[in-house]
């Protein structure tokens, strides 16, 4: 018994340490470092206050928590009804104990994110090993987009609900799967990806009527919100119609957006926008990186694995400095799809189907904005990446360092109210 308690305590200590260290980096960057940087023309001045944790979507959740929902038939105007209710509702409940709105929102998101890390850790540990659990947890905590698990956003809560729902369904705990699944669809629209995942596994594994009922019960969260919209605004799909103010009439695969992003990576934004070679230095640096990569691969045996790895690290950092966010976005979205495919036989079937269903939603919104942030919210990727890094830990450590660099820069940008994802 004492050995088990000690083992459990060590596991919890690791998760809390990973969560706390990554959150401290974000807080230090936003509160202490960001104010030292000059304010750009499209940003805002940063001060040592709770305001740095509120930007972009945060403002809408704050409006909902304080003033409720609004909607009108004018789809060109932005309305709060586009944002789902669970996060602002929980923030409002926390406010009843006397905490300010921003503090309540930060507390809900961070507490939920920590709980998601704990659940992921012990689930992966049950399935594989402690090493895999640690890498999966570190991946989720140190991915630069985990910034949104600290600021006033829904990432932490969504990860908690979806991870809990997937784990419960995988363990055939159908009441809990239905409960957490319903909370997922009350948090964000992508939570509906749980429904086809649960239904497919119920059919594939012949799980019985309880599994099918739990699968359909996941939609209870979005159904209740839809009922509210019908009663309050006379439009059961108001939350979908309100999205047009952000994405217009765009639907389906945003091939133009992804093609533009690919062109910006290969030839540079300035050259792509102008239609001719206006920035030859970009092409020169790209060519140097490509040729260097070819030589590095060609002579990898002569160089040895250590020099080969460090060469790849340097080339990747050089490529990121040259291409910036577009490279990270494409790597996370399409690299995530490839990783999920490679891991399809190693991770639970329900997480595989959920992952592909989530990517199908992401790639068919008609826009590319925030796609990398939504991809980060697919817990299947953290599990698959944890498995990968547990087999190749020497690649894992520099990846975590790179994640830390990105997290630091993203935090400063968010504090200045600049777009991140």
């Amino acid at each position: 018994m004492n050995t088990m308690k000690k083992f459990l305590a060590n596991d919890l200590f690791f998760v809390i340490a990973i969560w706390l260290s990554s959150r401290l980096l974000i807080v230090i960057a936003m509160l202490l470092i960001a104010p030292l940087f000059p304010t750009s023309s499209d940003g805002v001045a940063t001060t040592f206050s709770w305001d740095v944790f509120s930007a972009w979507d945060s403002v809408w959740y704050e409006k909902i928590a304080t003033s409720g929902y609004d909607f009108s038939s004018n789809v060109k105007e932005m309305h709060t009804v586009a944002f789902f209710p669970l996060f602002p509702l929980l923030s409002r409940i926390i406010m009843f104990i006397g905490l300010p709105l921003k503090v309540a929102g930060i507390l809900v998101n961070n507490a939920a994110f920590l709980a998601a890390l704990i659940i992921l850790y012990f689930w992966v540990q049950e399935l594989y090993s402690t090493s895999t659990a640690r890498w999966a947890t570190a991946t989720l905590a140190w991915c630069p987009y985990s910034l949104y698990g600290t600021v006033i956003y829904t990432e932490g809560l969504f990860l908690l609900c979806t991870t809990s729902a997937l784990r419960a369904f995988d363990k055939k705990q159908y009441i809990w799967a239905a409960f957490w699944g319903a909370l997922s669809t009350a948090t964000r629209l992508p939570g509906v990806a749980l429904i086809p995942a649960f239904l497919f596994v119920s059919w594939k594994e012949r799980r019985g009527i309880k599994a099918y009922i739990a699968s359909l019960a996941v939609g209870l969260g979005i159904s209740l919100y839809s009922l509210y919209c019908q009663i309050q605004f006379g439009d059961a799909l108001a939350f979908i119609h309100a999205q047009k103010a952000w994405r217009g009439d765009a639907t389906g695969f945003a091939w133009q957006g992804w093609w533009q992003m690919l062109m910006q990576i290969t030839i540079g934004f300035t050259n792509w926008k102008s239609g001719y070679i206006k920035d030859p230095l970009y092409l020169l640096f790209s060519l140097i990186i490509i040729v260097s990569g070819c030589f590095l691969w060609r002579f990898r045996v002569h160089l040895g694995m250590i020099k080969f790895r460090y060469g790849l690290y340097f080339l990747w950092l050089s490529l990121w400095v040259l291409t910036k966010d577009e490279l990270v976005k494409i790597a996370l979205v399409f690299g995530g799809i490839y990783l999920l495919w490679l891991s399809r036989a190693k991770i639970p079937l329900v997480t595989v189907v959920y992952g592909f269903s989530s990517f199908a939603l992401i790639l068919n919104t008609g826009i590319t904005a925030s796609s990398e942030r939504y991809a980060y919210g697919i817990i299947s990727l953290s599990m698959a990446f944890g498995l990968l890094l547990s087999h190749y830990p020497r690649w894992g450590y520099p990846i975590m360092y790179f994640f830390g660099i990105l997290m630091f820069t993203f935090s400063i940008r968010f504090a200045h109210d600049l777009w991140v994802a």
Side-chain angles (χ1 to χ4, degrees), residues 241-373:
H241 297 152
Q243 288 288 341
K244 292 184 178 181
W246 279 268
R247 59 181 177 84
D249 295 322
T251 56
F253 182 73
W255 65 271
Q256 288 182 325
W258 291 111
W259 177 254
Q260 173 183 328
M261 206 176 303
L262 185 61
M263 289 296 99
Q264 289 177 213
I265 292 174
T266 54
I267 65 175
F269 177 78
T270 302
N271 295 325
W272 171 81
K273 188 176 181 180
S274 60
Y276 62 93
I277 301 177
K278 188 176 181 179
D279 182 12
L281 286 179
Y282 186 97
L283 296 177
L284 176 62
F285 288 140
S286 296
L287 182 62
I288 292 174
I289 292 173
I290 293 172
V291 172
S292 299
C294 292
F295 274 103
L296 189 65
W297 178 260
R298 174 67 178 80
F299 297 103
R300 66 189 184 280
V301 176
H302 301 283
L303 292 171
M305 283 304 298
I306 295 177
K307 292 182 179 179
F308 174 66
R309 282 202 304 269
Y310 278 102
L312 286 182
Y313 303 155
F314 178 76
L315 289 180
W316 174 262
L317 282 174
S318 302
L319 189 60
W320 168 64
V321 170
L322 186 66
T323 60
K324 299 182 175 62
D325 291 354
E326 285 74 17
L327 176 66
V328 178
K329 177 179 285 193
I330 285 186
L332 184 56
V333 175
F334 294 99
I337 294 173
Y338 181 64
L339 176 62
L340 192 59
W341 175 257
L342 289 179
S343 308
R344 66 191 185 280
K346 300 175 183 178
I347 62 177
L349 178 61
V350 67
T351 61
V352 175
V353 182
Y354 167 71
F356 284 122
S357 299
S358 298
F359 274 118
L361 286 175
I362 292 171
L363 294 176
N364 284 280
T365 58
I367 57 175
T368 61
S370 299
S371 57
E372 67 273 44
R373 177 165 61 87

